[in-house]
Amino acid sequence: MNDNTNSVSPSLLAGDHFDWVRYSRKQRLARSFGYVAAAVLLYWALSTVDIFWPWVRTAPAQLGDMMFRMFPPSLEKLNPILYALVESINIAVLGTIVAVVLALPVAYLGAQTVTPNRVTLWLARVIIVATRSVDTIIWALIFVAILGPGPLAGILAVAFRSIGFLGKLIAEAIEEIDWGPVEAMQAAGASRAHIVTYAIVPQVVPSFWAITILRWDINIRESTVLGLVGAGGIGLIFQGAIDTFKWNTVSLVLIVIVMVVFAGELVTGIVRRKLL
Amino acid sequence: MLKITDLKKSYGKGEPVLKGLNLTTDERRLTAIIGSSGAGKSTLLRCINRLVPANSGKIELDGVNILDLHGQQLQHTRRQIGMIFQAYNLVDRLTVMENVLAGRLGYVGMLRGILRRFPQEDVDRAYALLQRVGLSQYVNKRCDTLSGGERQRVGCARALMQNPRILLADEPTASLDPKTSERIMELIAGITDELDLPVLINLHNVPQATTYADRILGLRHGVMIFDGNPGDLTEDWLEKIYAGYEDDLKKQMRVAPQEQDDE
Amino acid sequence: MSESPDHYIWRRPHFIETPYIRYGLLALALIYLVFALSTVRINPQRVMAGIPRAISMFSGAFPPDFQARGSLIISGFIESIQMTLIATAAGVLLSIPIGFMAAKNVVIKPVYVVGRLIVVVMRSLHPVVLAVIFVSAVGFGAFAGILTLVLYTIGFVGKLLAEAIEEIKYGQVEGIRSTGAGYLPVLSYAVFPQILPRLIGLSIYQLDINLRASAIVGIVGAGGIGGTLNTAFGRYDYATASAILLVMIGIILVTEGISGRLRRFTK
Ligand SMILES: Nc1ncnc2c1ncn2[C@@H]1O[C@H](COP(=O)(O)OP(=O)(O)O)[C@@H](O)[C@H]1O
Ligand SMILES: [Mg+2]
């Protein structure tokens, strides 16, 4: 050992002054700007929002009181709850099926690589944006206004919201396929219908199932609230229990919803692992 | 049979890729097209079956100008031109049999095709072809379980399923290891000989071209600068065809068939 | 697959080879479909009456009327935005501890179970269900909506954050731990830096999701534009309703674009 070992770098001990900074100047500026903007926006929101602050102070007590009254869940309404639950699930399934049927042509027209022309592409895009941006429960408001209350309005609401979702994702899946087989079919003199069934459909099938199952899972959750606007399912019982202050029934409904959504997620997971 | 006159092609507003090409197939059967990468070999083949549109010129198959055709007429002409691709272009998730039968899609009606109800003679022919290429035990296997060489055999069977007047092959062996590449070349040369089918084949491998071809075309920057028998392809000509791409040439010469066996 | 002397018989292989299972599943699916359809009690008369209604509704909706209730529309959207900002900030802050609790690799088992339970329950409940409960507990208005969105945020960000924490590189944790650092320093030096980019990305994404949700919780009285929309529907004022829907679609498109760009920028 020579005596240098202990002092390999004197600057580490005594230290030339070194300005240590984590990010480049530009990054830091962007970052600070982001934080300041967020803070300003938040301040604006908090200082102008229309909240009656005394209620905020009593809120914990109110919530605690309500939780207290929810226990124990009452099984009194179990049968109608289960019946309505099945209706909710049916709405989700039928709505998803209707949506798939309607979304497939939209996806075909909305995929840049296969759509026949600009007009069809834009038509599909407008449909996708319009149905995707309007929430299921708003679609339910519309269909209840048209068709009157009941599960049919719920099915159509679920279906319409899902068209854009499915259409967008399936169109993206179509755009991502390997183009080679399509060319091979063209070179063999196949017609458009044959190219679709031999070269496009087989490649899109796995994504199609993954996307459809994902949406079905989401739709189960969505279908639990449709009853609140009269579109069928468990939401109606929930609303009734709230309106009549039957807190023990409310808690049972909540438990049932959590369980069915959880079961839906399990099924989705299993199917996904089996299929793909 | 196939007669190309003054064929011009450019992609978008770019440099022309084919600059007034002339080519007539003759009694010699297997015609190999060689040239550095980017010379326009693929473009030429893809113009012939209209996978890309040509800008001007004529491509006549038995007197019919392919460049004038539309819709059904185009489909009918395309089914007379088989094509084998470098990347096989099989549908991975379909079975071997379905991929081979897909070669008949230009012949069967819409519903038959969609429902996989092909005429019995098509199925028989598909099975015979699969036996010929050595894959009859894999009829119902999905194509994504096959090796590269096996996939290209399916690719050949599919192209021949069309019962074509002429076969195009775009570097059919470029994605394969040297040994398999040799097997596939033997297969293509052998089977087209049995069927007496003219072949237009792009090759990146000069030794393979001189071994299997009856006629060699040298393409350079979209111009045909060599057209002759394999024996006429001298070092001089190779240097001209590959001038500026010597590395390319060296790489290709190295994949000579003899060296493969000890690898 | 039999081979007769001169013909080769080929049939496309079935997805499920055993015929019992194949037809059994098909039958089950059909039975379920028939049952499900039978629970949808469709009243043909009512559906027929829907056609003229739909026509009058759509003719009422066009052209959209932005003016008549213009100030209500504006204040409704502003309230939605305020609710979104406050709830996202509060929700993300709360998501951090809950995300850690719900990550298997950084906490003890009982804590993990509790964290996971919170996240699962929050995720299962649709924001409108939560909103109904909060409205009846703390009254109508933006406050109930904010509480709703906070829980909604915890469900989403908490879950994805927990997944991000479970995917961290363990070598970095060991590196810091080997310097003798305690539990909290390890979290803040080795774990937090690894998940911070993801957290920022998630927050921006959540802003987008919450804005959409803020538009619907109003339907059950929890503040924001949803209330205005519900009122318009209740009054058969479809011109205003369509105006609100158009603005909503526009805002969603714009924020989706902005949030997508911001997320790419923060990556
Ligand atoms: N689809 C395309 N779009 C634009 N340029 C292309 C396209 N395909 C090929 N090219 C260009 O055309 C030229 C010839 O390509 P190609 O015919 O593939 O050559 P080769 O097959 O001889 O390697 C190259 O410069 C290539 O970049
Ligand atoms: Mg090429």
Side-chain angles (χ1 to χ4, degrees), chain C residues 117-157:
Chain C
L117 198 68
I118 296 177
V119 168
V120 166
V121 170
M122 302 289 146
R123 266 173 66 78
S124 318
L125 295 176
H126 194 284
V128 171
V129 169
L130 293 171
V132 170
I133 294 175
F134 282 123
V135 165
S136 51
V138 303
F140 288 98
F143 183 50
I146 290 172
L147 290 177
T148 302
L149 297 182
V150 167
L151 293 201
Y152 189 44
T153 305
I154 292 174
F156 259 92
V157 179

Side-chain angles (χ1 to χ4, degrees), chain B residues 97-98 120 123-124 127 140, chain C residues 1 3 7-8 10 12-13:
Chain B
M97 186 53 119
E98 282 170 294
Q120 183 59 45
V123 178
D124 287 342
Y127 190 69
N140 280 330
Chain C
M1 249 107 291
E3 201 180 340
H7 287 311
Y8 178 73
W10 175 80
R12 182 147 87 120

Side-chain angles (χ1 to χ4, degrees), chain A residues 69-90:
Chain A
R69 270 184 283 171
M70 280 188 181
F71 278 97
S74 139
L75 293 180
E76 184 196 344
K77 282 268 164 51
L78 186 62
N79 274 338
I81 287 177
L82 289 181
Y83 186 82
L85 182 72
V86 170
E87 187 171 79
S88 275
I89 296 173
N90 290 347

Side-chain angles (χ1 to χ4, degrees), chain B residues 16-213:
Chain B
V17 174
L18 299 178
K19 301 165 183 162
L21 216 108
N22 294 297
L23 167 65
T24 309
T25 56
D26 53 27
E27 70 284 359
R28 283 171 293 183
R29 213 180 24 75
L30 200 149
T31 306
I33 305 172
I34 60 171
S36 62
S37 76
K41 305 183 296 294
S42 300
T43 303
L44 171 58
L45 292 197
R46 296 160 72 82
C47 280
I48 294 176
N49 60 8
R50 288 268 302 269
L51 284 180
V52 295
N55 297 64
S56 66
K58 267 204 238 172
I59 301 178
E60 287 159 303
L61 182 68
D62 298 328
V64 180
N65 187 359
I66 297 173
L67 301 185
D68 290 340
L69 301 176
H70 300 283
Q72 280 227 307
Q73 284 178 316
L74 176 61
Q75 284 174 23
H76 280 231
T77 303
R78 274 174 167 170
R79 73 188 189 190
Q80 298 176 40
I81 307 173
M83 186 154 188
I84 301 175
F85 299 81
Q86 175 181 343
Y88 329 125
N89 291 11
L90 304 179
V91 187
D92 274 349
R93 292 174 46 86
L94 295 185
T95 59
V96 168
M97 186 53 119
E98 282 170 294
N99 268 289
V100 175
L101 285 173
R104 290 308 284 181
L105 286 177
Y107 292 87
V108 301
M110 182 163 109
L111 270 184
R112 279 194 154 221
I114 291 175
L115 299 174
R116 273 76 165 164
R117 292 274 183 274
F118 287 83
Q120 183 59 45
E121 71 245 35
D122 287 358
V123 178
D124 287 342
R125 182 172 163 75
Y127 190 69
L129 278 169
L130 281 173
Q131 277 181 320
R132 175 63 184 83
V133 302
L135 286 179
S136 54
Q137 73 278 28
Y138 290 159
V139 168
N140 280 330
K141 249 187 136 171
R142 251 168 63 159
C143 281
D144 49 9
T145 62
L146 302 183
S147 71
E150 289 165 344
R151 284 174 199 223
Q152 195 56 296
R153 286 164 191 273
V154 178
C156 294
R158 176 177 65 189
L160 295 172
M161 208 45 212
Q162 286 173 234
N163 208 358
R165 300 270 294 112
I166 184 169
L167 186 66
L168 311 177
D170 191 4
E171 307 206 14
T173 61
S175 316
L176 301 170
D177 68 83
K179 241 179 185 162
T180 316
S181 154
E182 235 17 72
R183 297 285 102 79
I184 294 293
M185 270 315 290
E186 280 165 15
L187 177 73
I188 293 177
I191 208 167
T192 50
D193 191 38
E194 292 158 29
L195 297 169
D196 201 18
L197 177 66
V199 189
L200 213 51
I201 184 166
N202 287 344
L203 281 180
H204 71 142
N205 185 317
V206 175
Q208 270 185 355
T210 49
T211 311
Y212 294 99

